[in-house]
Amino acid sequence: MSDPNAIFQNAYYVGNNFNCILYGVELVLYFASIWLILQGRRGQQSKRSDKQFLFFSTGLLVMITIYVAVQSVFGEEMWIVNANYPGGSAQYLADNAAVWYQTLGSAASIVLNLMSDGLLIYRTFVVWSDWRIVIFPSILYLGSAALGILTCYTSGVPNSDFFLGKAAQIALSYSSVVIGLNFTCSMLICGRILYVAKRMEATLGREVSRTYTGAASLIIESMLPYTLFGIAYVVTLGINSPVSIFFLSVYVMFTCISPQMIILRVLLGRGWTRDAGSSMGTARFVSGPSSAGGSNTRFTYGSDGTAINLRSITVSKSAVSEPDYGLDSKV
């Protein structure tokens, strides 16, 4: 299959199928998050952040719904409704790439990017607990917003094509800045988690540290799938490969799924919080008398009350109790 249009059409078709599959994944994550919010985090008192998660998650779902619907409708118009279009599918694409609902889909994906990247920058701040670490990503974020608006305008001009000409050049610049932002934040989060994991594992053991520093935490907190598919999309777009449309489809889907996974993880009580991010940076031992007259040793990170009970030793005249390992955290 050496015809670029045939490769593009097949990639578009496969991408639309992946859109439907991943949209189902997004629905499961969304409704699981909403259920936890409505249940008040399993009986706990509802927090203000829960309402923020509710509105943010709903916004993500609305944007990705618009994108998926637009891609499906355009595919139907190109392959079924206008199957006998003069010049074939390639000519139909060239004549209708700037149709109004495609511009709507592009706008929805750009808004989705801005929402996800804003959350990614915030999560970088949460993990590092240092506002200076997000200065450079914030500059890239402002640049991506400006280029996103310009991309939406140039690709929506009559007779323009997102994958050809000036619109394609601007789209490549926009995508490169966005992926640069994703890569920077992902590496900062991964580096921080691995650093904390090494310290916690050396002190507390692998089992205790796995909740915040395991593989799932590393992948979800850093939005790694979002970044990796974004890199694949930018590379294929840069070399004018017709399969770029497939990577674009999957990339946009993970623009929604990755932040939704973070929200669900936080609602489950397993995600990093600002307290956890700041408290894991420093550590100290605190000892005090126990109620039985012995000693109680706690390993405490920071000063906000986040603590891990390493060992409770009760000394009596006749026996010494076994060590009790447990988790005592306010996060």
Side-chain angles (χ1 to χ4, degrees), residues 286-298 313-314:
V286 178
S287 300
S290 69
S291 59
S295 65
N296 184 28
T297 303
R298 295 166 62 84
I313 305 176
T314 303

